[in-house]
Amino acid sequence: MRDYLGVYDRPILGTIVKPKMGLTPSQYAEVCYEFWVGGGDFVKNDEPQANQDFSRYETMVHKVLKAMEKAEKEIGQKKVHSFNVSSADFETM
């Protein structure tokens, strides 16, 4: 992770965001973006996300990717997002 991020002189900073509490894809991506440009390195989503009524999985992935690319371009550092790909239903997963 240090090699990928190029972070050697400080701790790697990460957080877990709970989008399942009702965040839309745009809201969740904005939270990730703000964390990244504020000095964070990686965001982890450890909730079974799948497709919520308020957040389609594909839309959320697309929005987060765009936010991550924007943050990387603005600050010149790589960032990481860890998506949860679990679901209560094997076919959905």
Side-chain angles (χ1 to χ4, degrees), residues 20 44-52 55 57 60-61 82-93:
K20 201 170 181 180
K44 178 183 178 196
N45 175 353
D46 67 349
E47 295 182 314
Q49 188 71 25
N51 282 318
Q52 305 295 318
S55 180
Y57 191 79
M60 186 262 302
V61 169
S82 176
F83 292 99
N84 185 318
V85 292
S86 61
S87 174
D89 159 4
F90 178 76
E91 293 299 320
T92 300
M93 191 170 68

Side-chain angles (χ1 to χ4, degrees), residues 27-93:
Q27 291 169 330
Y28 178 60
E30 181 65 21
V31 169
C32 295
Y33 169 80
E34 292 294 332
F35 179 73
W36 288 319
V37 297
D41 299 300
F42 74 89
V43 177
K44 178 183 178 196
N45 175 353
D46 67 349
E47 295 182 314
Q49 188 71 25
N51 282 318
Q52 305 295 318
D53 291 338
F54 55 87
S55 180
R56 302 296 298 167
Y57 191 79
E58 287 183 38
T59 303
M60 186 262 302
V61 169
H62 177 73
K63 297 273 186 182
V64 169
L65 178 59
K66 287 181 70 172
M68 187 169 68
E69 289 171 344
K70 180 180 175 186
E72 289 175 334
K73 184 175 181 180
E74 286 180 15
I75 61 176
Q77 297 174 336
K78 289 184 179 179
K79 300 299 174 184
V80 174
H81 186 280
S82 176
F83 292 99
N84 185 318
V85 292
S86 61
S87 174
D89 159 4
F90 178 76
E91 293 299 320
T92 300
M93 191 170 68

